[in-house]
């Protein structure tokens, strides 16, 4: 909807040029290092949690 509730005409110049999948893939490629680093950090935290839980289990 345009100003004052009037519907605007849809034409080729106002349509999206790239699709959502293409934008998501491009963003994932651009930030692959950050995504990979976050994944490795989460995996290390989970591994530490497993180690501490095994240590606590052995103490019982």
């Amino acid at each position: 909807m345009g100003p004052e509730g009037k519907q605007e005409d849809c034409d080729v110049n106002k349509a999206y040029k790239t699709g959502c999948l293409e934008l998501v893939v491009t963003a994932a490629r651009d930030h692959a290092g950050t995504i990979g680093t976050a994944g490795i950090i989460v995996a290390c935290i989970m591994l530490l949690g497993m180690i501490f839980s095994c240590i606590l289990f052995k103490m019982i």
Side-chain angles (χ1 to χ4, degrees):
M1 290 273 177
E4 301 175 10
K6 295 180 182 177
Q7 187 174 5
E8 294 183 17
D9 294 328
C10 182
D11 62 359
V12 177
N13 295 328
K14 294 181 182 177
Y16 291 105
K17 302 293 183 194
T18 56
C20 292
L21 179 62
E22 186 178 336
L23 290 175
V24 170
V25 169
T26 303
R29 284 185 184 150
D30 291 344
H31 299 97
T34 305
I35 295 169
T37 302
I40 290 172
I41 290 172
V42 169
C44 290
I45 291 171
M46 291 178 72
L47 184 62
L48 283 173
M50 290 175 60
I51 291 169
F52 287 138
S53 68
C54 289
I55 291 171
L56 286 172
F57 178 75
K58 286 210 167 216
M59 292 175 80
I60 295 176

